[in-house]
Amino acid sequence: MLKIGEFSKLSRISIRLLRQYDESGLLTPEATDPFTGYRYYSEYQLPTANRITALRDMGFTQNTITEVLDCYGDPASLERCLRLKRAEALAALEEAEGRLRLLDTALERLRKDETMKYDVTIKTIPERTVASVRQIIPSYDREGDLWGLFCQETARMNIQDGDPVLCTAVFYDGEYKESDVDVEVQKTVRGTYPDTEHVRFKTVPAVQVASATLRGSYERMTEATEAVAAWVRENNWAFDGAAFWIYHISPHDTRNPDEFLTEVCYPVRKK
């Protein structure tokens, strides 16, 4: 039998953590002296202690470690647990990378002492025939699901592109929503075609918009929308309909976010 200090050295787990593991039932001593309260461990408990440390290093919480330890006799169950944790870690990494990109962009602009300028213009988007898919989607970053449906259902239809061809996304909600957003994607086409399960062909009327063009990542979209909002306020116009983006250069064309070219359009009317 090993005293708690000896077991601590062998397992490389602090006495504080060993006591915590005992209190939570994660790793209880082999024996406890009823008179002194001294904890005694067995050498056979070292593999379990090492597994606990490994699982902690992987990011498992103390509560979930107990569940994972129970899977060690079942390789298939253990693999499922580890794969789920890996997916969580990958999602966290992607989120952290997104924050780093935002920080790098802010630092780069700060170093250059550069304020992004946007030319806001009033223009009329002419009447056009479009193929469209409109659905409630979980979040704005799932817009690609709609484009996937669009491509899947029109792939064999030999649709002719409009002139000019405009790929747009229309956002119908009257507010920014964190979930269940009403979005429609559209592409201008020539000719007439039958509707499919999800794709509708229709004529979109002409619309007057205040627009600004953003070159770069979608993470900087708020810069362009702020410019449009300021212009509308300062020039005595009013917003008048659902906003939409025109994707002149999109992830379909390039994998480099710095090359994206997006026109932010807000329908407006003169006050």
Side-chain angles (χ1 to χ4, degrees), residues 21 26 52 55-69 85 88:
Y21 292 165
L26 181 60
I52 291 171
L55 292 170
R56 278 177 57 92
D57 291 343
M58 294 177 200
F60 286 95
T61 63
Q62 193 162 307
N63 290 335
T64 56
I65 286 176
T66 302
E67 300 173 9
V68 180
L69 285 175
K85 193 62 184 178
E88 290 178 12

Side-chain angles (χ1 to χ4, degrees), residues 46 92 178 213 230 249:
L46 285 171
E178 295 182 352
T213 300
I249 301 177

